[in-house]
Amino acid sequence: MVTALKQIEHIGIAVKNLQTTIPFYTDILGLKLLGIETVESEQVRVAFIEIGETRLELLEAISTESAIAKFIEKKGEGIHHIAFQTETCQKQLDFLKNQGIKLINEVPKEGAHGNLVAFLHPKSTNSVLMELCQPPAKSTREEVENINEHSL
Ligand code: ZN
């Protein structure tokens, strides 16, 4: 049994255009925009919206090769994935693999905010794309947040 999943780290939502989408979350829903970041490895621009202890991750493709571009082409905009927070990403991946769960990433890669992230294959999760997300050690996280503040 996986016991090291702590909370919903974020919910990923695929959008066509961040700029036109963000005001709905900030001006109408009254939520706080934490920052916008480009994740080159995923070919996406990501906006984080704070809600309570968790976040919404709005994802906009920056190239047609991006998984988000392909997702929107196939299914349209909408909920793309759910991310669970863990402190032991690799350990959880090894465990899941041993249980016969199909993984997209057998080794975590660097995502937004310096998090280590890995996706489980929807074939093994009733078609829900699930992400494991391990926050960086606290000192690194503060550094990253400071950088983000300056770039906003
Ligand atoms: Zn995510």
Side-chain angles (χ1 to χ4, degrees), residues 10 57 81 131:
H10 60 263
E57 180 186 78
H81 66 272
E131 176 187 340

PDB file of all heavy atoms in Angstrom, residues 10 57 81 131, ligand 1:
ATOM      1  N   HIS A  10      -1.566  19.562  -6.569  1.00  0.00           N
ATOM      2  CA  HIS A  10      -2.271  20.484  -7.462  1.00  0.00           C
ATOM      3  C   HIS A  10      -3.151  19.693  -8.419  1.00  0.00           C
ATOM      4  O   HIS A  10      -3.029  18.470  -8.517  1.00  0.00           O
ATOM      5  CB  HIS A  10      -1.301  21.371  -8.261  1.00  0.00           C
ATOM      6  CG  HIS A  10      -0.346  20.608  -9.131  1.00  0.00           C
ATOM      7  ND1 HIS A  10       0.929  20.302  -8.763  1.00  0.00           N
ATOM      8  CD2 HIS A  10      -0.498  20.078 -10.379  1.00  0.00           C
ATOM      9  CE1 HIS A  10       1.534  19.626  -9.724  1.00  0.00           C
ATOM     10  NE2 HIS A  10       0.684  19.470 -10.725  1.00  0.00           N
ATOM     11  N   GLU A  57      -3.118  24.247 -11.404  1.00  0.00           N
ATOM     12  CA  GLU A  57      -2.001  24.458 -12.328  1.00  0.00           C
ATOM     13  C   GLU A  57      -2.607  24.604 -13.722  1.00  0.00           C
ATOM     14  O   GLU A  57      -3.072  23.636 -14.307  1.00  0.00           O
ATOM     15  CB  GLU A  57      -1.078  23.227 -12.248  1.00  0.00           C
ATOM     16  CG  GLU A  57       0.135  23.259 -13.139  1.00  0.00           C
ATOM     17  CD  GLU A  57       0.904  21.932 -13.103  1.00  0.00           C
ATOM     18  OE1 GLU A  57       0.476  20.967 -13.758  1.00  0.00           O
ATOM     19  OE2 GLU A  57       1.926  21.856 -12.419  1.00  0.00           O
ATOM     20  N   HIS A  81      -4.729  16.548 -15.246  1.00  0.00           N
ATOM     21  CA  HIS A  81      -4.160  15.573 -14.312  1.00  0.00           C
ATOM     22  C   HIS A  81      -4.351  15.999 -12.863  1.00  0.00           C
ATOM     23  O   HIS A  81      -4.660  17.152 -12.583  1.00  0.00           O
ATOM     24  CB  HIS A  81      -2.676  15.341 -14.599  1.00  0.00           C
ATOM     25  CG  HIS A  81      -1.790  16.523 -14.364  1.00  0.00           C
ATOM     26  ND1 HIS A  81      -1.533  17.473 -15.326  1.00  0.00           N
ATOM     27  CD2 HIS A  81      -1.106  16.928 -13.265  1.00  0.00           C
ATOM     28  CE1 HIS A  81      -0.716  18.397 -14.830  1.00  0.00           C
ATOM     29  NE2 HIS A  81      -0.433  18.097 -13.570  1.00  0.00           N
ATOM     30  N   GLU A 131      -0.048  12.341 -11.262  1.00  0.00           N
ATOM     31  CA  GLU A 131       1.331  12.785 -11.132  1.00  0.00           C
ATOM     32  C   GLU A 131       1.762  12.626  -9.677  1.00  0.00           C
ATOM     33  O   GLU A 131       0.985  12.924  -8.776  1.00  0.00           O
ATOM     34  CB  GLU A 131       1.404  14.267 -11.550  1.00  0.00           C
ATOM     35  CG  GLU A 131       2.748  14.916 -11.379  1.00  0.00           C
ATOM     36  CD  GLU A 131       2.714  16.436 -11.659  1.00  0.00           C
ATOM     37  OE1 GLU A 131       1.785  16.910 -12.329  1.00  0.00           O
ATOM     38  OE2 GLU A 131       3.608  17.134 -11.170  1.00  0.00           O
TER      39      GLU A 131
HETATM   40 ZN    ZN B   1       1.223  18.920 -12.605  1.00  0.00          ZN
END
